[in-house]
Amino acid sequence: MANSRSTETSTIEVADALSCDASLVHLDNVRQVQPEVLSTAQAQRMAEFFSALSDPHRLKLLSALAQQELCVCDLAAAVKMGESAVSHQLRVLRSQRLVTYRRQGRNVYYGLADDHIMSLYREVAEHLDE
């Protein structure tokens, strides 16, 4: 019972810490921040971008492509997925411009779209390793 009570107390303290003491808007702060707040359209595009990154299979594909450009069959073998599943996930990644492709003869090779994607991938990986 004491354990339950201490949990309740902690929850109340955390809830109190997450709100303002008084309902007072600091207009100077609001005016300073407001121009930098995303528009609804920008927030929607960003949410779709992060949604594409929210799937572990797609992240595995990106981790392989962060090493080098690969064709679908090599990607499938590297991440231990079927080729059709890899193709499906690559379509999602392409739709968010995270990967690009090029044809060489009958093969299609995929790579990360640009240095921004590589930087984003590395930054998140480093953050998680901290």
Side-chain angles (χ1 to χ4, degrees):
M1 200 66 157
N3 198 11
S4 172
R5 184 168 170 85
S6 97
T7 302
E8 285 178 27
T9 304
S10 296
T11 303
I12 292 169
E13 289 171 4
V14 169
D16 288 344
L18 297 178
S19 63
C20 294
D21 289 339
S23 184
L24 173 67
V25 175
H26 301 90
L27 288 177
D28 290 340
N29 292 344
V30 172
R31 286 186 184 118
Q32 186 176 8
V33 170
Q34 209 165 29
E36 301 302 321
V37 172
L38 295 173
S39 70
T40 302
Q42 289 171 313
Q44 180 63 41
R45 286 188 8 236
M46 192 176 283
E48 290 168 1
F49 178 88
F50 282 114
S51 177
L53 294 175
S54 70
D55 182 275
H57 299 294
R58 290 190 286 264
L59 290 171
K60 288 176 71 173
L61 291 171
L62 289 177
S63 71
L65 295 173
Q67 306 307 310
Q68 70 180 54
E69 187 180 66
L70 295 165
C71 67
V72 173
C73 35
D74 291 345
L75 270 169
V79 299
K80 299 178 180 155
M81 290 173 59
E83 288 181 30
S84 65
V86 167
S87 292
H88 170 75
Q89 299 300 345
L90 287 170
R91 274 192 295 279
V92 174
L93 294 171
R94 272 195 341 249
S95 74
Q96 292 301 315
R97 300 183 332 205
L98 292 164
V99 298
T100 58
Y101 68 94
R102 69 174 178 84
R103 290 191 181 277
Q104 183 175 342
R106 295 176 59 167
N107 291 326
V108 177
Y109 290 88
Y110 288 85
L112 296 183
D114 57 37
D115 290 338
H116 295 110
I117 305 306
M118 179 64 83
S119 296
L120 180 64
Y121 172 81
R122 286 189 177 143
E123 288 290 325
V124 171
E126 287 175 17
H127 175 73
L128 294 175
D129 287 341
E130 289 179 354

